[in-house]
């Protein structure tokens, strides 16, 4: 019995042992099979990548080692399954393998900062344990897989900085435990799904830089009590700014920049007591800045730039003790700047740019912003002197005070700003120190060794540049003093500024020669010295600045040849040497293929245009007017396909206009007037669909004027002074005889030889009769003629008038005349005033006044070559330009003096008045009383339409 019991017990123990052994033998088999699945999935993932030979995954991800030891792979300790795949910034290229869905224990997938492309695989939905997916900063495309909604454990989705498209899948509403959704900087569109605002666990919502439209629901915070970061910038979101943000008590950062949000900033925004960043720039918000913002004690950044905010700057904002960035630029804020805002100890950036702020900034002591790095107050109406406390901001790198009304001298204490990189004082009313004309503040700035940009033009310095400018920072890149009444010479020490790439001293009163030392500025790209009084030659040393791309020396007194070496400046894009006394054009200039602007007008340049001008393939604006150029226009000009404006007027160019000029398809403006061009006007010009202005006047052109294309918009002014042209009556030309027969040769012979003979005989007979009558009359008229009211003066021809006045020579006004000569001259000049009826009128003074008006505003005389024996008189020339083309007859210098936008209507009114004064019949002319009334009205209209604040002389 005992033995049987023992045997039974032993049998049970053996069975249990066998069961144990069998279970132990089964577990490794199962583990091996599942581990193999993860390994195969990882190797399949690797196979989709393009890896360089020395890439960490190339030699590390091999079967010779456990995959749990591979780079970027983490496994669970007990099961040895892949739980994390962490390969950020591994320079991995390729696609995401669908086999990644076999890593069924994967909880974290981080592949950010690589070059992965293609679509995200739908198999990501198999990763039921996935909590974090971060694929930020790749090149992934296509839609967001809706299968991600199957990953119920997901807490973080970061797919920012890719090229994903389409809408946010509605299926993601199932992820009710989601804490962070980052989809910024993609190509996603549609409205923001409302379910996102119902995920109560959401802490971070980042949808910036997409194409989401629609509005932000006013109930955004109703179910988002834990929301901390709200990033919706750079979308076309519209609608009203949400007013119920107080329920998002955890909000720390609000980024809503660059949308179309309207409405006002809620007055109770201080309910967000944890708010640190408020960026609402570039919307259409209105109203004022709520003073309650001053209660946000944790606020470090407020950016309300580029809205339509009004009102004053609340004093409460000076309580923001933690503020580092403060910007309300580009609004309509008015009033004074609270001075204590400059004393905030934490502030690093302050910008009030482009508002309507006014008043001065008090000169307060004790203000010393220790961290202020950038101060921008430009484009306001600030007055007074530059406050001295700015010099206490020892960390300041940018000081921008341009376009205000600051007065006085520039404080020399600015030299204390040793870290200063940019100083912009342009467009103020600053002057030099009254005790000396030298600009001493420039000497003080030599202590600012980090200075890169120095701009103080458009002031009233009326001072001299000190030699110490050569001691400014060798880091200086921009030196600009435009239009500031600078006197004296340009110091040769300017050549010490070795980093300078932009030098602008235009529109000053600088004299002397351009210093050769400028050639030491090897990095110089822009040289603007125009509108000064520089004389002498252009220094050859300029050619050492091989980086030069812009050379503007126009409106000086430079003489001599243009340097031959200028052709070596292959980066040159803009050359303007106009209005000097230069005497030759180097051949190398025609090889500057990067040149798009060339102006050599108003010099003394002689010679012919070479075929090489066809090499200027990039030229868009080409001006050679008012020189001494001769010869023909080369046919190679047709190579200049980019040409928009061409002006060769006022030269002695001859021959024909090239037929292929019609190949200049971009041409908008063409002026070849006042030359000796002959032949016909090329019909190819009809192809130029963009041509809006054409001037071929005063040449020797012949034949029919084209009528199609742009010629439909031209007037007689474009062709005046070409006696042999014919064409449409609107051009005021004779009608062309296009259908002559061969037998018309006999008629031509008759006209050529017989008619002149007959005409000569008739003229001779008329002269004889006039001479006989004159002798008879001379006997009857007493030696002294006493003029009375009833005496009608002798009729005098126009050409007698020309002879008596020596072509209306200005010397007449200086001649000494006796009483008889003065009397005769009076009647000669008034012969013009009698009009076609040839009788004296009390309205002769009106006629004289009308002619005087035309002469004053056109700078032309009735005796000018273009009118004597021409097709049009001065009056007809002016009349042809009205009402829409008055600027084509008004003197160009007068146009530059008038106010933009005010000149057209006023000038047209004056010319209309002049025409009414000079009508042929005295009875049709207006009286001087009406003239005065009309001029008074024109002046009133001009005053009403000119810009406010203009100081244009009337």
């Amino acid at each position: 019995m005992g033995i049987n019991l023992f045997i039974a017990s032993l049998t049970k123990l053996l069975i249990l042992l066998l069961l144990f052994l069998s279970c132990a033998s089964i577990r490794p088999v199962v583990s091996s099979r599942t581990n193999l699945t993860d390994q195969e999935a990882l190797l399949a993932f690797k196979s989709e990548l393009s890896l360089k030979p020395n890439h960490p995954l190339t030699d590390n991800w091999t079967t010779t080692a456990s995959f749990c030891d591979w780079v970027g792979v983490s496994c669970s300790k007990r099961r040895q399954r892949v739980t994390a795949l962490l390969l950020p910034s591994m320079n991995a290229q390729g696609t995401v393998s669908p086999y990644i869905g076999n890593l069924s224990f994967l909880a974290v997938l981080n592949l950010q900062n690589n070059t992965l492309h293609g679509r995200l695989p739908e198999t990501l939905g198999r990763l039921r344990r996935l909590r974090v997916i971060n694929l930020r900063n790749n090149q992934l495309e296509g839609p967001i897989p809706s299968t991600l909604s199957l990953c119920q454990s997901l807490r973080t989705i970061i797919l920012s900085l890719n090229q994903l498209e389409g809408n946010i899948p509605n299926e993601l509403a199932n992820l009710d435990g989601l804490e962070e959704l980052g989809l910024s900087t993609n190509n996603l569109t549609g409205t923001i799904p409302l379910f996102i605002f119902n995920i109560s666990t959401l802490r971070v919502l980042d949808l910036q830089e997409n194409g989401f439209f629609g509005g932000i629901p006013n109930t955004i915070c109703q179910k988002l009590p834990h929301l901390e970061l709200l990033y919706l910038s750079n979308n076309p979101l519209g609608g009203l700014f949400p007013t119920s943000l107080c329920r998002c008590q955890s909000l720390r950062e609000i980024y809503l920049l660059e949308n179309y949000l309207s409405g006002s900033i809620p007055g109770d925004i201080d309910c967000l007591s944890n708010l640190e960043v408020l960026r609402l720039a570039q919307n259409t918000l209105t109203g004022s800045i709520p003073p309650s913002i001053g209660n946000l004690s944790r606020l470090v950044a407020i950016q309300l730039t580029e809205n339509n905010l009004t009102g004053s700057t609340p004093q409460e904002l000076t309580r923001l003790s933690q503020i580092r960035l403060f910007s309300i630029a580009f609004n309509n804020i008015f009033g004074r700047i609270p001075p204590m805002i400059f004393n905030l100890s934490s502030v690093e950036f302050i910008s009030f740019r482009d508002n309507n702020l006014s008043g001065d900034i008090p000169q307060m002591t004790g203000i010393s912003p220790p961290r202020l790095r950038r101060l921008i107050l430009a484009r306001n109406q600030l007055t007074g002197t530059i406050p001295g406390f700015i010099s206490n901001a020892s960390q300041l790198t940018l000081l921008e005070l341009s376009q205000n009304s600051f007065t006085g001298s520039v404080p020399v204490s600015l030299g204390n700003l040793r870290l200063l990189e940019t100083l912009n004082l342009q467009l103020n009313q600053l002057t030099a120190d009254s005790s000396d004309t030298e600009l001493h503040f420039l000497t003080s700035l030599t202590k600012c060794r980090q200075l890169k940009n120095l701009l103080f033009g458009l002031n009233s310095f009326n001072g001299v540049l000190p030699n110490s400018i050569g001691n400014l920072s060798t880091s200086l890149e921009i030196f600009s003093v435009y239009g500031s009444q600078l006197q004296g010479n340009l110091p040769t020490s300017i050549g010490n500024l070795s980093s300078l790439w932009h030098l602008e001293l235009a529109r000053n009163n600088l004299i002397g020669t351009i210093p050769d030392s400028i050639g030491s500025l090897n990095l110089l790209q822009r040289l603007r010295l125009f509108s000064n009084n520089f004389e002498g030659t252009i220094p050859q040393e300029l050619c050492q600045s091989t980086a030069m791309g812009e050379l503007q020396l126009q409106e000086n007194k430079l003489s001599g040849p243009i340097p031959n070496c200028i052709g070596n400046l292959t980066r040159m894009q803009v050359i303007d040497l106009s209005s000097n006394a230069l005497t030759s054009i180097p051949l190398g200039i025609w090889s500057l293929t990067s040149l798009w602007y060339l102006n050599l007008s108003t010099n003394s340049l002689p010679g012919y245009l070479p075929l090489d001008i066809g090499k200027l393939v990039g030229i868009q604006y080409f001006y050679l007017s008012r020189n001494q150029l001769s010869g023909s226009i080369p046919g190679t000009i047709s190579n200049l396909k980019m040409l928009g404006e061409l002006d060769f007027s006022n030269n002695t160019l001859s021959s024909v206009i090239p037929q292929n000029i019609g190949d200049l398809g971009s041409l908008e403006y063409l002026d070849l007037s006042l030359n000796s061009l002959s032949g016909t006007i090329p019909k190819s010009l009809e192809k130029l669909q963009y041509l809006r202005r054409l001037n071929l006047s005063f040449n020797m052109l012949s034949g029919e004027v084209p009528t199609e294309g742009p010629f439909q918009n031209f007037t007689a002014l474009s062709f005046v002074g070409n006696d042999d042209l014919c064409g449409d009556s609107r051009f005021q030309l004779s009608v062309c005889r296009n259908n002559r027969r061969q037998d018309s040769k006999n008629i031509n012979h008759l006209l050529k030889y017989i008619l002149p003979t007959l005409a000569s005989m008739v003229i001779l007979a008329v002269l004889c009769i006039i001479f006989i009558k004159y002798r008879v009359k001379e006997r009857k008229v007493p030696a002294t003629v006493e003029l009375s009211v009833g005496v009608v003066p002798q009729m005098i021809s126009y050409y007698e008038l020309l002879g008596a006045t020596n072509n209306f020579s200005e010397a007449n006004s200086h001649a000494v005349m006796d009483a008889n000569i003065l009397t005769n001259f009076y009647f000669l000049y008034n012969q013009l005033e009698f009009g076609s009826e040839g009788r004296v009128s009390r309205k002769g003074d009106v006629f004289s006044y009308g002619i005087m008006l035309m002469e004053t505003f056109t700078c032309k005389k009735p005796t000018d070559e273009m009118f004597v024996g021409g097709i049009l008189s001065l009056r007809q020339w002016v009349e042809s330009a009205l009402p829409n083309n008055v600027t084509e007859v008004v003197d160009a210098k007068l146009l530059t003096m008038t106010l933009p936008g005010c000149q057209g209507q006023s000038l047209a009114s004056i010319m209309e008045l002049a025409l009414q004064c000079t009508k042929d019949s005295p009875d049709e002319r207006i009286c001087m009383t009406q003239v005065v009334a009309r001029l008074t009205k024109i002046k009133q209209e001009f005053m009403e339409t000119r810009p406010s604040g203009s100081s244009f002389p009337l």
Side-chain angles (χ1 to χ4, degrees):
M1 182 71 179
I3 295 174
N4 291 336
L5 182 61
F6 173 79
I7 293 173
S9 300
L10 183 60
T11 301
K12 289 180 180 180
L13 288 174
L14 288 173
I15 292 173
L16 290 172
L17 179 60
L18 289 172
L19 288 173
F20 176 81
L21 291 174
S22 64
C23 290
S25 64
I26 290 173
R27 179 168 295 179
V29 173
V30 174
S31 176
S32 176
R33 186 181 301 132
T34 53
N35 287 349
L36 183 61
T37 301
D38 284 4
Q39 178 177 291
E40 290 175 348
L42 291 173
L43 291 175
F45 172 80
K46 176 186 174 183
S47 68
E48 296 289 334
L49 303 178
S50 299
L51 304 175
K52 295 180 179 180
N54 59 347
H55 195 277
L57 302 189
T58 302
D59 297 327
N60 184 262
W61 279 33
T62 64
T63 56
T64 58
S66 170
F67 62 82
C68 291
D69 296 329
W70 291 356
V71 171
V73 178
S74 297
C75 294
S76 58
K77 294 182 179 180
R78 188 167 67 90
R79 297 177 181 271
Q80 291 293 289
R81 300 297 302 273
V82 176
T83 56
L85 184 57
L86 308 174
L87 298 173
S89 305
M90 293 291 290
N91 195 25
Q93 304 178 19
T95 60
V96 180
S97 170
Y99 285 96
I100 200 169
N102 291 342
L103 299 175
S104 54
F105 280 77
L106 194 65
V108 179
L109 177 61
N110 187 347
L111 304 177
Q112 66 173 328
N113 299 329
N114 283 292
T115 318
L116 300 173
H117 61 272
R119 295 182 171 229
L120 287 172
E122 296 285 341
T123 55
L124 288 172
R126 298 179 185 176
L127 304 177
R128 305 302 171 88
R129 294 178 174 84
L130 191 64
R131 295 178 59 85
V132 175
I133 178 170
N134 187 350
L135 303 179
R136 184 180 185 276
N137 194 20
N138 280 281
Q139 298 175 10
L140 298 168
E141 55 197 32
I144 299 172
S146 59
T147 54
L148 281 178
S149 62
L150 302 176
C151 304
Q152 292 290 307
S153 299
L154 265 176
R155 295 295 179 266
T156 300
I157 299 177
I158 302 177
L159 303 177
S160 303
L161 285 165
N162 280 285
Q163 300 169 17
L164 299 173
E165 302 171 344
N167 301 330
I168 298 176
N170 287 323
E171 290 82 354
L172 297 188
N174 297 328
L175 303 177
D176 52 10
L178 196 64
E179 297 178 2
E180 180 174 356
L181 179 60
L183 304 177
S184 64
T185 318
N186 279 287
N187 299 318
L188 301 172
T189 57
T191 58
I192 301 175
L194 292 178
F195 74 79
I196 289 179
F197 304 113
N198 293 329
I199 303 176
S200 60
T201 55
L202 203 62
R203 293 185 303 101
V204 178
L205 177 59
D206 185 0
L207 305 179
Q208 297 182 106
E209 297 187 44
N210 279 287
F212 294 118
F213 53 84
I216 302 173
N218 196 41
T219 58
I220 181 174
C221 290
Q222 188 169 353
K223 295 184 179 180
L224 297 178
H226 303 293
L227 190 65
E228 298 179 15
L229 309 179
L230 177 61
Y231 300 149
L232 300 179
S233 298
N234 297 86
N235 283 287
L237 295 171
L240 295 174
F241 185 86
T243 58
S244 60
L245 294 177
C246 287
R247 295 194 178 186
C248 294
Q249 288 291 317
S250 300
L251 261 179
R252 293 189 293 110
E253 299 183 7
I254 299 177
Y255 281 72
L256 298 177
L257 300 85
E258 294 189 49
N259 282 289
Y260 297 96
L261 299 175
S262 58
S264 58
I265 303 172
D268 61 350
I269 197 169
D270 58 341
C271 64
L272 303 175
S273 57
N274 294 309
L275 197 63
E276 298 174 5
V277 176
L278 180 61
R279 293 180 181 261
L280 307 179
Q282 293 176 269
N283 282 283
T284 59
L285 299 175
T286 55
S288 59
I289 301 173
S292 58
I293 290 180
N295 297 328
L296 299 173
S297 59
R298 298 186 180 182
L299 201 64
V300 297
I302 178 171
Q303 186 179 15
L304 307 179
T305 311
E306 292 188 57
N307 280 285
N308 298 318
L309 300 173
T310 58
S312 60
T313 308
Q315 292 283 344
E316 289 81 358
L317 299 184
T318 61
R319 300 202 301 257
L320 299 174
S321 59
Q322 303 298 317
I323 200 74
R324 294 203 297 267
L325 183 150
F326 182 93
S327 177
I328 59 173
F330 297 97
N331 280 286
N332 299 309
I333 306 299
F334 54 80
R336 303 172 70 93
I337 300 175
M340 294 309 294
I341 208 160
F342 300 111
N343 204 33
L344 293 171
S345 59
S346 298
V347 70
E348 299 176 7
F349 181 102
I350 296 177
S351 178
F352 286 93
R353 180 187 177 97
D354 278 87
N355 279 285
N356 295 315
L357 298 167
S358 58
D360 61 345
I361 302 175
Q363 299 282 352
M364 297 182 300
T365 59
I367 292 184
S368 179
R371 297 184 181 179
L372 186 60
R373 297 178 57 83
R374 295 179 170 234
L375 177 59
I376 305 173
L377 306 179
R379 296 177 65 91
N380 281 284
Q381 301 165 25
L382 300 173
T383 58
T385 58
I386 298 174
F389 68 77
I390 290 178
S391 302
N392 298 332
S394 58
Q395 300 297 310
L396 202 64
T397 62
L398 170 66
L399 179 57
E400 170 64 275
L401 304 179
S402 65
Q403 300 190 51
N404 281 285
S405 297
F406 287 114
T407 55
S409 58
V410 180
V412 295
S413 59
L414 292 182
N416 298 332
L417 304 175
R418 304 301 173 87
L419 300 180
L420 193 63
E421 297 179 4
T422 297
L423 175 61
N424 191 349
L425 305 176
Q426 293 188 121
L427 255 171
N428 280 283
Q429 300 172 22
L430 300 169
T431 58
D433 195 320
S434 58
S435 61
D436 192 354
T437 59
E438 193 169 275
L439 303 181
H440 292 292
F441 77 92
L442 289 173
T443 303
S444 72
L445 291 176
T446 59
K447 295 182 289 185
C448 304
R449 304 314 298 170
Q450 308 298 319
L451 196 60
K452 294 182 179 179
N453 307 303
L454 179 56
L455 306 94
F456 54 98
L458 291 168
N459 281 285
S460 303
F461 288 114
N462 196 25
V464 177
L465 293 173
N467 288 325
S468 60
I469 65 171
N471 298 326
L472 290 169
S473 167
T474 54
S475 300
L476 194 66
E477 299 177 357
I478 296 177
F479 186 81
S480 177
V481 198
Y482 178 94
S484 293
Q485 303 175 30
L486 295 180
Q487 311 289 332
N489 296 295
L490 175 58
T492 57
S493 60
I494 194 77
N496 297 339
L497 305 178
S498 56
S499 297
L500 208 62
W501 66 266
H502 179 107
L503 175 58
E504 180 163 19
L505 299 170
R507 298 201 184 281
N508 285 289
N509 299 314
L510 297 173
I511 60 174
T513 59
I514 299 174
D516 297 344
S517 60
I518 283 186
S520 301
L521 305 176
N522 295 325
L523 301 179
L524 193 63
Q525 298 177 32
R526 295 179 189 157
L527 179 60
R528 298 174 178 170
L529 302 179
F530 60 88
S531 299
N532 279 285
N533 294 307
F534 288 116
E535 54 190 10
T537 59
I538 300 174
Q540 294 275 345
E541 287 77 8
L542 274 181
C543 298
Q544 298 173 16
S545 301
T546 55
M548 184 85 72
E550 180 180 333
L551 178 63
Q552 294 200 51
L553 304 179
Q554 67 268 28
E555 299 178 15
N556 279 287
K557 299 177 181 179
L558 300 171
S559 57
I562 300 172
N564 289 321
C565 58
I566 202 169
N568 299 330
L569 302 178
T570 56
R571 299 183 184 179
M572 191 69 78
Q573 298 182 30
V574 174
I575 295 179
D576 194 338
L577 306 178
S578 61
S579 300
N580 282 287
L582 302 172
T583 55
S584 71
I585 305 176
L587 288 177
I589 205 169
W590 310 120
S591 300
L592 298 175
T593 55
S594 297
L595 205 63
W596 63 268
Y597 184 98
L598 176 61
N599 191 349
L600 304 180
S601 297
T602 318
N603 279 285
S604 301
L605 301 171
Y608 300 89
L609 292 174
L611 295 174
D612 286 349
I613 70 169
K615 295 180 180 179
L616 298 176
V617 292
I619 198 75
Q620 298 177 36
Y621 302 91
F622 195 4
Y623 309 107
L624 296 177
S625 62
R626 294 180 295 280
N627 279 291
Q628 301 168 19
L629 299 172
S630 56
S632 61
I633 300 174
T636 53
I637 199 168
S638 63
N639 296 340
L640 312 184
K641 306 298 185 185
M642 304 290 292
L643 196 59
E645 295 190 8
L646 176 64
D647 189 350
F648 287 175
S649 64
N650 277 271
N651 283 285
T652 56
L653 298 172
S654 57
S655 190
V656 299
I657 301 174
Q659 291 294 323
N660 58 5
I661 198 170
D663 294 340
L664 303 177
S666 300
L667 200 62
E668 299 180 21
Y669 175 88
L670 175 61
D671 191 347
L672 302 178
S673 62
L674 292 162
N675 280 287
S676 299
L677 298 170
S678 58
T680 60
I681 299 175
K683 282 190 68 65
S684 61
L685 288 173
E686 292 181 332
K687 300 186 300 182
L688 302 180
Q689 57 178 325
Y690 301 111
L691 190 64
R692 53 184 175 83
R693 294 189 63 184
L694 174 67
N695 191 351
L696 303 178
S697 61
F698 300 101
N699 280 284
M700 295 186 292
L701 299 170
S702 59
E704 184 175 6
V705 175
T707 57
E708 300 299 321
F711 285 84
Q712 299 176 26
N713 301 316
F714 299 147
T715 66
L717 295 175
S718 297
F719 314 106
V720 68
N722 291 278
D723 295 340
D724 294 330
L725 284 177
C726 62
D728 196 292
S729 59
R730 60 192 170 90
F731 298 141
Q732 301 183 17
L733 300 171
S734 58
V735 178
C736 295
R737 300 181 179 179
N738 297 324
N739 298 317
R740 293 180 179 176
R741 296 181 179 179
Q742 198 64 22
D743 58 0
S744 63
K745 291 182 179 180
N746 295 330
I747 299 175
N748 291 336
H749 182 80
L750 177 66
L751 294 173
K752 185 174 182 180
Y753 297 103
I754 299 178
L755 288 183
T757 304
L758 293 174
S760 300
M761 294 174 65
V762 172
I763 293 172
L764 181 60
V766 172
L767 289 175
C768 290
I769 294 171
I770 293 174
F771 178 77
I772 292 171
K773 288 185 176 181
Y774 179 81
R775 293 298 301 271
V776 172
K777 185 176 182 180
E778 188 180 42
R779 295 191 186 99
K780 297 179 179 179
V781 177
T784 303
V785 179
E786 185 171 336
L787 298 176
S788 63
V789 176
V791 176
V792 178
Q794 177 185 351
M795 299 297 292
I796 303 172
S797 71
Y798 181 77
Y799 291 100
E800 287 176 298
L801 176 61
L802 289 180
T805 62
N806 190 20
N807 288 326
F808 290 97
S809 170
E810 294 179 0
N812 290 326
S813 62
H814 303 293
V816 179
M817 304 180 183
D818 60 26
N820 290 332
I821 295 175
L822 287 172
T823 303
N824 291 336
F825 178 79
Y826 174 80
F827 284 111
L828 283 170
Y829 190 75
N830 275 273
Q831 177 65 28
L832 278 176
E833 302 171 4
F834 301 148
S836 60
E837 298 183 7
R839 58 188 176 85
V840 178
S841 168
R842 294 178 62 187
K843 293 188 178 180
D845 56 341
V846 178
F847 186 98
S848 302
Y849 188 76
I851 293 293
M852 184 272 292
L853 280 179
M854 294 186 209
E855 291 179 340
T856 300
F857 284 88
T858 65
C859 205
K860 304 285 185 186
K861 294 184 293 185
T863 57
D864 284 352
E865 181 181 358
M866 63 185 290
F867 304 121
V868 176
I871 298 175
L872 300 176
S873 65
L874 172 61
R875 187 183 189 281
Q876 291 170 328
W877 183 60
V878 170
E879 187 175 20
S880 67
L882 294 176
N884 299 321
N885 299 310
V886 66
T887 55
E888 295 188 16
V889 298
V890 173
D891 183 35
K893 293 182 179 179
L894 184 60
L895 289 176
T896 61
M897 295 169 57
T898 56
L899 293 172
C902 302
Q903 58 190 25
Q905 183 177 356
S906 298
L907 292 174
S909 299
I910 291 173
M911 289 306 184
E912 287 282 2
L913 178 61
L915 292 176
Q916 292 185 13
C917 291
T918 55
K919 287 188 175 182
D920 287 342
S921 173
D923 295 333
E924 295 177 358
R925 303 173 195 159
I926 64 176
C927 65
M928 285 303 294
T929 304
Q930 294 172 306
V931 171
V932 173
R934 287 282 300 278
L935 283 176
T936 302
K937 182 178 180 181
I938 292 171
K939 178 180 177 182
Q940 290 174 348
E941 291 174 349
F942 179 83
M943 292 286 291
E944 291 171 359
T945 56
R946 68 176 184 153
S948 61
S950 168
S951 58
F952 182 76
L954 298 174

